[in-house]
Amino acid sequence: MQVATVLYPDFTALDIIGPYDVLGRLPGAEVVFVAADPGLVRNDLRSLSVQPEATLDEVTSPDVVLIGGGPGYLGQLEGGRLHEWLRAVDRTSTWTTSVCTGAPILAAAGLLEGRRATTHWSALDDLTRFGATPTSERVVFDGHYVTGAGVSAGIDMALTLAGRMAGDETAEMVQLIIEYAPEPPYRSGSMEVASPAVIESARVALG
């Protein structure tokens, strides 16, 4: 089972590394990082670079497609090679998935038209713009599309998908291996519970 994880400049690392650590532990899984061009791809904090193992042209029929988000997603909303590749591999993929602002990229490529999807809270309007139906749920399945909300939700998305693909017991085993048992020190992890002051400072930080 090949999992193609897309890289592009200014991606958010946890968006793809969380799912990588989950899906890469499934029996028979091969995770391959792909990008439009060879060479290191730098993340949004500008201090981490990932080397893709293949270009988009070299990966033609992955079983699972995963695209994460990050500030660089805005530069990936226009048509081009990535959109063409996403539409091509989506025709044969078992699952096409996203984390955070990866969902607007799928939507901009025309893959989420009329479908329910989630993304980071700051980008829900982008889904509407491209014909998807936004929801604030943490993980959304619609057909063979699976979208996760912001950043850390990628782990939830990947574990839920792992259960669908390999069974609950295997997914639970992976959850134990990565010791995923969240006990956040603060209660500000969603728009529903964060204070107005925290929400405002987050909006300012995101630009």
Side-chain angles (χ1 to χ4, degrees), residues 8 11-20 66-70 99-102 149-152 154:
Y8 55 82
F11 69 94
T12 294
L14 185 56
D15 283 8
I16 60 172
I17 299 302
Y20 165 76
L66 170 68
I67 186 163
V99 178
C100 196
T101 48
V151 193
S152 63

XYZ file of all heavy atoms in Angstrom, residues 8 11-20 66-70 99-102 149-152 154:
168
model
N 5.182 20.890 -0.408
C 5.279 22.138 -1.165
C 5.866 23.182 -0.222
O 5.830 23.015 1.007
C 3.915 22.573 -1.713
C 2.829 22.717 -0.687
C 2.703 23.874 0.086
C 1.912 21.679 -0.453
C 1.708 23.997 1.048
C 0.919 21.805 0.515
C 0.829 22.965 1.253
O -0.149 23.090 2.208
N 5.090 24.380 4.010
C 4.135 23.443 4.618
C 4.339 23.440 6.126
O 5.394 23.825 6.637
C 4.340 22.032 4.061
C 5.642 21.384 4.489
C 5.709 20.556 5.598
C 6.819 21.597 3.763
C 6.912 19.963 6.002
C 8.020 21.013 4.153
C 8.063 20.197 5.271
N 3.313 23.021 6.856
C 3.417 22.855 8.311
C 3.805 21.415 8.611
O 3.121 20.478 8.194
C 2.081 23.222 8.991
O 1.841 24.627 8.816
C 2.124 22.919 10.487
N 4.884 21.249 9.346
C 5.483 19.921 9.511
C 4.543 18.905 10.145
O 4.417 17.769 9.667
C 6.771 20.032 10.324
N 3.865 19.279 11.238
C 3.037 18.298 11.940
C 1.880 17.805 11.072
O 1.417 16.673 11.244
C 2.496 18.896 13.242
C 1.702 17.939 14.150
C 2.516 16.705 14.524
C 1.225 18.670 15.404
N 1.427 18.639 10.130
C 0.349 18.224 9.229
C 0.665 16.907 8.537
O -0.226 16.083 8.309
C 0.113 19.285 8.149
C -0.649 20.485 8.657
O -0.869 20.588 9.870
O -1.022 21.325 7.827
N 1.919 16.741 8.149
C 2.283 15.529 7.415
C 3.046 14.515 8.269
O 2.928 13.310 8.040
C 3.095 15.857 6.141
C 4.392 16.594 6.480
C 2.239 16.654 5.163
C 5.313 16.768 5.291
N 3.784 14.987 9.257
C 4.584 14.064 10.066
C 3.700 13.260 11.014
O 3.964 12.078 11.278
C 5.676 14.819 10.841
C 6.633 15.513 9.848
C 6.445 13.869 11.740
C 7.295 14.558 8.858
N 2.628 13.872 11.539
C 1.689 13.121 12.376
C 1.098 11.939 11.630
O 1.215 10.778 12.070
N 0.458 12.181 10.477
C -0.071 11.069 9.686
C 1.006 10.097 9.216
O 0.770 8.885 9.142
C -0.738 11.774 8.505
C -1.129 13.106 9.048
C -0.007 13.476 9.977
N 2.190 10.609 8.905
C 3.299 9.736 8.505
C 3.608 8.726 9.600
O 3.803 7.529 9.335
C 4.531 10.595 8.195
C 5.832 9.845 8.122
C 6.148 9.065 7.016
C 6.760 9.926 9.161
C 7.358 8.371 6.953
C 7.962 9.249 9.103
C 8.259 8.477 8.000
O 9.445 7.802 7.946
N -2.112 12.067 0.470
C -2.206 12.937 1.637
C -1.571 14.276 1.313
O -0.426 14.334 0.848
C -1.490 12.312 2.828
C -1.300 13.220 4.051
C -2.631 13.524 4.717
C -0.334 12.609 5.057
N -2.317 15.348 1.544
C -1.757 16.686 1.380
C -2.034 17.477 2.641
O -3.173 17.547 3.120
C -2.304 17.377 0.119
C -1.584 18.709 -0.109
C -3.815 17.567 0.169
C -1.748 19.264 -1.512
N -0.976 18.030 3.212
C -1.105 18.820 4.417
C -1.277 20.292 4.097
O -1.390 20.698 2.932
N -1.287 21.091 5.154
C -1.478 22.516 4.991
C -0.262 23.306 5.421
O 0.846 22.787 5.543
N -0.503 24.579 5.679
C 0.551 25.513 6.040
C 0.353 26.798 5.268
O -0.438 26.850 4.322
N -5.018 17.331 5.533
C -4.944 17.838 6.896
C -4.879 19.359 6.809
O -4.226 19.904 5.917
C -3.693 17.309 7.636
C -3.613 17.884 9.046
C -3.681 15.788 7.666
N -5.598 20.018 7.722
C -5.516 21.459 7.839
C -5.850 22.125 6.498
O -6.828 21.754 5.855
C -4.119 21.836 8.343
S -3.944 23.512 8.975
N -5.037 23.077 6.055
C -5.342 23.807 4.828
C -4.949 23.048 3.570
O -4.932 23.625 2.474
C -4.678 25.196 4.849
O -3.304 25.081 5.228
C -5.402 26.109 5.828
N -4.688 21.756 3.708
C -4.590 20.920 2.507
C -5.939 20.761 1.840
O -6.022 20.592 0.619
N -9.148 18.531 10.423
C -9.112 19.956 10.762
C -7.657 20.393 10.968
O -6.734 19.800 10.414
C -9.987 20.213 11.978
N -7.436 21.419 11.766
C -6.114 22.006 11.836
C -5.035 21.162 12.477
O -5.227 20.554 13.518
N -3.895 21.122 11.835
C -2.601 20.613 12.291
C -2.685 19.311 13.093
O -2.534 18.230 12.542
C -1.835 21.699 13.089
C -0.376 21.289 13.288
C -1.880 23.042 12.345
N -2.902 19.388 14.401
C -2.879 18.197 15.251
C -3.980 17.213 14.892
O -3.870 16.016 15.202
C -2.997 18.580 16.731
O -4.237 19.214 16.994
N -4.487 15.985 12.215
C -3.947 15.000 11.270
C -3.722 13.649 11.917
O -3.867 12.605 11.264
